[in-house]
Amino acid sequence: MDIRRTIEDVIDIENGLEVSASEFFRKPFDVLIQAREEQELANSGKREKWLVCATCGENIRILGGKREDQPMRAGKNFHFAHLHNSKDCPIKTDSKYSKDDINRMRYRGIAEGKPHIELKEKLYQGLNLNAIHKGQVSHLQLERVIRSLDEFEWRKPDINLMFNGRRLAVELQLSTTWLDVIVGRQAFYRQEGIFILWVFNEFDYKDNSRKLAFSDIIYTNNYNAFIFDEEARAATVLRKDLVLKCYFQHHYAVEDTVYSRWEHELVSLDQLTLDTNTMKLYYRDIANEKFKASESVRKFKAKKQQEIDERRRERNRLRRVRSGYQDDHKEIRGNMTLVDKEIEKLNREIGDRQRSLNKAQSELFNIEVTVQGIAEKLDGYWVALPKPAEQLKRERKAEQKQLNDAIKSLEERQKKHIAKDTYYRKGRVKRVDGKEYHVLDRTDSWDYIISNPDKILAYPNDQANNLFASPVLQPLNSHKIMQMRHDQKVEFVIDLSNEFAENTLTLESIQKEIKQRSEEKANFEKLLPEQFRKVLLEEYNKSVTGLEVELTGLQNQLETKRTEKEQMEKRADEIFYEIIELDYLDDWEEEDRYH
């Protein structure tokens, strides 16, 4: 049968630890019997104090004789009890103490342990070394009561001192302390403008195994834990100044994760920060480190998310472009099919026209034979000539061919000069200092530009709107022309006044010569019989010239279609490879997103 014990916790004075009754009485029966003897020796003054009540600090007794795990055994369970003549205790009589008073009693009971007393003395000696050799510590006192301004509250720290003109309370923590005690002490000292320095005798890295009271203090004091162990004591003697071992939970960021690890360093009081805003005392500002690490993680994640968003947008854009390319490719392939059909149709028409031309040429030959016969019958006409008819006929044919060739050559030259004249007249003109310069198109006239660098000038567009100065034309060479090829701030111009005038004279000369040759041809043709001229010209123009013109037109159309098809095939290939590249980029983006 379970019982409710009056004394739930006692203090082991020898090691300064608080021991719960339920934990203590789980020990073996023989060990408990021996413990009863040791406690009675302590109660009778025959050995040093051992177990005392955690609330009032009075000696206690171990009563009963049955362990909790022996329900069949007769008698009462083992339990702690106050001595018969002990002082009043809040847990054995009607309490006249407040909860804070009881907690202070229990805390004071823990502080009476030997480890607590020894640690306090060693700390006092280290602080006294500072006062002697460095003069930073003054007004050093052990267990001096500090009262609030209204004198309703009070605290008695283990050590009270002034450090560089600031009040400092040292509180030792060796065992369990209740959270309300810790919070109450920190709030009291903060209100009174006193910095509190918690000191431990040991440190456990693991949160799960560390005493909860230790964690309550460490994590509420900027993740700093001050330990006064053997190493710190040795350093204190060596440096002639109080040295503490400070454990701090260092926080750092690695990409998208904040990590932490416990580190430690030996520090003196003058290495500590006394933050007057928070009234916190610490060596490393871990809260700020943690904030910076969290900010680094946040920025890393934001940057990573931005990269993901940009890649997603780029991937969607590439997909839209690819879709457009696929539509263009499909359309071009469709148009190429139509062009193939048109080329096939033109080839058929060219074949038809070629056959018609062959037939017309055959008929022309027959006409020429007929005309030859008619001419031969005109004996009187041929006899009147100074030369034999056959020789004259050959000469006339040769002369006719020369005239035709000359006229044809002149007409070809005329076409070129007319085209050049048209080009000069329709081109854009820039006027500089009262003189006109022809603007050359970079695309249509590039071959001419690069072939005549010494004739080309650079016209600066950015000076064209200057009302107070005329633009300055810059002479060019091949190197400068290549540099300015894509520069839209300048235009290529040329002085065509001489060439234009020269072309006009040449054109007039050609036209005059054509007229002269035409008159010669007309006069020549008048010498032939009217019937011969009429049959020859009409049949030839009707049968041959028309077919040749039509055939030439069809061949030009065929060449145009072939060029168009080649351009379509080239563009189709370009789009095909662009689609392949976009597919590769899309696959790469998907793989990158997966990883």
Side-chain angles (χ1 to χ4, degrees):
M1 177 179 178
D2 294 335
I3 64 169
R4 178 177 178 83
R5 297 185 177 90
T6 303
I7 302 177
E8 290 290 345
D9 301 295
V10 296
I11 303 298
D12 185 341
I13 296 296
E14 288 184 348
N15 55 29
L17 298 177
E18 184 177 40
V19 181
S20 68
S22 58
E23 180 182 355
F24 185 86
F25 291 122
R26 288 196 188 99
K27 297 179 180 180
F29 184 78
D30 58 335
V31 174
L32 292 175
I33 296 300
Q34 294 172 12
R36 276 167 52 87
E37 180 184 6
E38 290 296 320
Q39 183 60 27
E40 287 302 320
L41 290 173
N43 291 340
S44 62
K46 295 179 180 179
R47 61 156 289 174
E48 294 181 355
K49 271 189 174 186
W50 182 31
L51 301 178
V52 298
C53 174
T55 302
C56 65
E58 293 289 322
N59 287 345
I60 51 89
R61 301 181 69 185
I62 300 176
L63 301 180
K66 184 180 71 170
R67 283 162 41 100
E68 293 183 22
D69 55 359
Q70 298 172 330
M72 302 303 295
R73 184 170 177 172
K76 293 183 178 181
N77 290 56
F78 279 112
H79 60 279
F80 296 123
H82 287 89
L83 299 180
H84 181 69
N85 59 347
S86 64
K87 298 178 182 180
D88 287 343
C89 178
I91 62 174
K92 79 171 184 176
T93 61
D94 291 337
S95 179
K96 61 183 178 181
Y97 301 102
S98 67
K99 181 180 179 182
D100 289 341
D101 292 334
I102 294 173
N103 284 338
R104 279 195 291 271
M105 290 179 183
R106 298 184 71 174
Y107 187 79
R108 186 172 63 252
I110 295 173
E112 291 176 354
K114 286 183 179 180
H116 188 104
I117 295 172
E118 290 177 0
L119 180 61
K120 179 167 55 178
E121 291 176 352
K122 294 291 184 182
L123 282 170
Y124 182 87
Q125 292 171 7
L127 290 167
N128 195 45
L129 286 174
N130 179 289
I132 294 172
H133 296 283
K134 298 180 72 173
Q136 296 171 326
V137 173
S138 62
H139 300 82
L140 188 61
Q141 296 174 323
L142 285 171
E143 297 187 351
R144 173 179 173 272
V145 174
I146 299 175
R147 295 188 179 276
S148 62
L149 294 176
D150 55 15
E151 297 189 354
F152 285 106
E153 288 190 78
W154 61 273
R155 293 292 187 275
K156 186 168 71 173
D158 291 299
I159 302 174
N160 187 42
L161 63 124
M162 296 290 291
F163 178 73
N164 287 336
R166 293 179 179 176
R167 297 178 67 184
L168 182 63
V170 180
E171 291 281 6
L172 309 185
Q173 186 61 36
L174 276 67
S175 182
T176 301
T177 299
W178 298 267
L179 179 60
D180 57 347
V181 174
I182 295 171
V183 173
R185 284 178 176 269
Q186 294 187 149
F188 174 82
Y189 290 127
R190 186 183 304 114
Q191 180 179 348
E192 299 303 316
I194 302 173
F195 289 93
I196 181 172
L197 173 62
W198 293 95
V199 180
F200 308 94
N201 64 336
E202 61 182 14
F203 181 77
D204 190 344
Y205 285 96
K206 300 178 181 179
D207 289 341
N208 293 335
S209 59
R210 188 191 312 121
K211 293 177 181 178
L212 185 60
F214 286 19
S215 297
D216 289 335
I217 294 172
I218 294 168
Y219 288 119
T220 57
N221 284 274
N222 213 341
Y223 303 84
N224 284 225
F226 296 98
I227 313 299
F228 196 56
D229 57 8
E230 291 299 328
E231 185 180 1
R233 295 176 188 180
T236 297
V237 174
L238 183 63
R239 299 184 189 181
K240 296 182 181 181
D241 185 13
L242 178 64
V243 176
L244 300 173
K245 183 181 288 184
C246 178
Y247 286 84
F248 47 87
Q249 193 177 37
H250 173 53
H251 290 76
Y252 59 97
V254 178
E255 294 186 347
D256 61 347
T257 305
V258 175
Y259 296 94
S260 65
R261 63 172 180 266
W262 284 101
E263 300 178 358
H264 66 272
E265 292 184 23
L266 292 175
V267 300
S268 55
L269 290 181
D270 55 10
Q271 292 178 267
L272 305 184
T273 297
L274 280 65
D275 191 338
T276 55
N277 292 325
T278 61
M279 292 304 294
K280 298 289 185 181
L281 180 152
Y282 52 86
Y283 169 62
R284 286 281 290 271
D285 190 357
I286 302 302
N288 189 40
E289 282 188 12
K290 186 176 182 181
F291 172 77
K292 290 181 178 179
S294 300
E295 277 295 293
S296 176
V297 167
R298 183 189 65 78
K299 291 178 180 178
F300 178 86
K301 289 182 177 179
K303 182 179 179 181
K304 200 72 175 177
Q305 185 62 44
Q306 182 180 5
E307 292 175 354
I308 292 172
D309 293 342
E310 289 177 355
R311 289 179 180 177
R312 184 182 295 112
R313 287 193 293 270
E314 179 64 12
R315 186 167 58 252
N316 292 336
R317 187 190 69 80
L318 291 175
R319 286 174 176 171
R320 290 193 298 271
V321 172
R322 181 182 60 186
S323 177
Y325 280 166
Q326 288 174 338
D327 292 341
D328 292 345
H329 191 268
K330 183 177 179 181
E331 182 180 356
I332 288 174
R333 286 299 180 187
N335 293 336
M336 286 174 62
T337 302
L338 296 176
V339 170
D340 284 337
K341 292 180 179 179
E342 292 178 1
I343 290 174
E344 183 180 355
K345 180 181 177 181
L346 286 171
N347 282 327
R348 288 197 302 268
E349 292 182 358
I350 288 172
D352 294 341
R353 296 299 184 275
Q354 190 65 52
R355 286 189 292 272
S356 299
L357 180 59
N358 293 338
K359 181 179 178 181
Q361 288 175 340
S362 176
E363 292 176 352
L364 178 61
F365 177 76
N366 294 332
I367 292 172
E368 288 178 345
V369 171
T370 302
V371 171
Q372 179 72 21
I374 294 172
E376 290 176 352
K377 290 180 181 179
L378 300 175
D379 295 335
Y381 174 77
W382 298 116
V383 172
L385 297 174
K387 294 183 180 181
E390 292 296 331
Q391 183 178 355
L392 179 60
K393 182 172 63 175
R394 288 193 298 271
E395 291 177 354
R396 288 295 176 89
K397 285 186 177 180
E399 292 174 5
Q400 185 179 28
K401 185 176 183 304
Q402 290 177 358
L403 282 172
N404 288 335
D405 291 342
I407 292 173
K408 184 176 181 181
S409 175
L410 289 170
E411 287 175 346
E412 290 296 328
R413 290 177 60 195
Q414 181 183 15
K415 287 181 181 178
K416 292 181 180 179
H417 285 281
I418 289 175
K420 188 181 293 187
D421 183 78
T422 302
Y423 175 72
Y424 293 156
R425 294 181 183 279
K426 73 177 182 180
R428 291 188 297 121
V429 173
K430 297 291 185 179
R431 183 176 297 276
V432 179
D433 294 332
K435 189 174 182 179
E436 291 185 345
Y437 292 86
H438 186 73
V439 179
L440 298 177
D441 184 80
R442 281 183 170 83
T443 303
D444 297 337
S445 305
W446 181 249
D447 291 337
Y448 179 84
I449 292 172
I450 200 64
S451 301
N452 299 274
D454 55 331
K455 296 182 179 181
I456 309 302
L457 301 173
Y459 180 88
N461 280 331
D462 55 348
Q463 298 181 27
N465 295 324
N466 192 333
L467 300 178
F468 303 98
S470 177
V472 177
L473 300 180
Q474 178 185 354
L476 299 176
N477 52 39
S478 299
H479 179 68
K480 290 184 178 180
I481 287 175
M482 292 304 296
Q483 286 183 331
M484 295 180 177
R485 180 173 186 177
H486 301 290
D487 189 357
Q488 300 301 318
K489 293 182 179 180
V490 298
E491 290 186 303
F492 296 128
V493 300
I494 184 172
D495 180 7
L496 295 180
S497 57
N498 293 333
E499 292 192 23
F500 185 79
E502 182 181 338
N503 186 71
T504 302
L505 292 175
T506 302
L507 182 59
E508 291 175 355
S509 175
I510 291 173
Q511 290 172 344
K512 182 177 180 181
E513 189 174 355
I514 289 176
K515 182 178 179 181
Q516 181 182 349
R517 291 289 185 176
S518 299
E519 291 175 354
E520 290 179 5
K521 181 179 179 181
N523 293 331
F524 172 81
E525 290 173 348
K526 288 180 180 179
L527 299 175
L528 296 176
E530 186 64 26
Q531 187 179 6
F532 180 89
R533 185 186 65 80
K534 183 178 179 181
V535 171
L536 181 63
L537 293 178
E538 287 182 358
E539 291 300 323
Y540 182 80
N541 289 334
K542 182 175 70 174
S543 302
V544 179
T545 306
L547 286 173
E548 286 182 342
V549 171
E550 188 175 356
L551 181 62
T552 301
L554 290 173
Q555 288 174 337
N556 290 337
Q557 290 183 39
L558 178 61
E559 188 63 29
T560 300
K561 291 298 180 181
R562 285 175 178 168
T563 302
E564 183 179 348
K565 181 180 178 181
E566 289 176 358
Q567 293 175 347
M568 287 182 176
E569 289 178 342
K570 182 180 179 181
R571 181 56 182 155
D573 290 340
E574 291 175 354
I575 291 178
F576 175 73
Y577 286 112
E578 287 176 354
I579 291 173
I580 291 177
E581 183 178 357
L582 289 173
D583 287 337
Y584 171 77
L585 290 174
D586 194 27
D587 293 341
W588 178 80
E589 290 290 345
E590 289 292 337
E591 182 178 356
D592 183 64
R593 184 177 64 83
Y594 174 76
H595 289 293

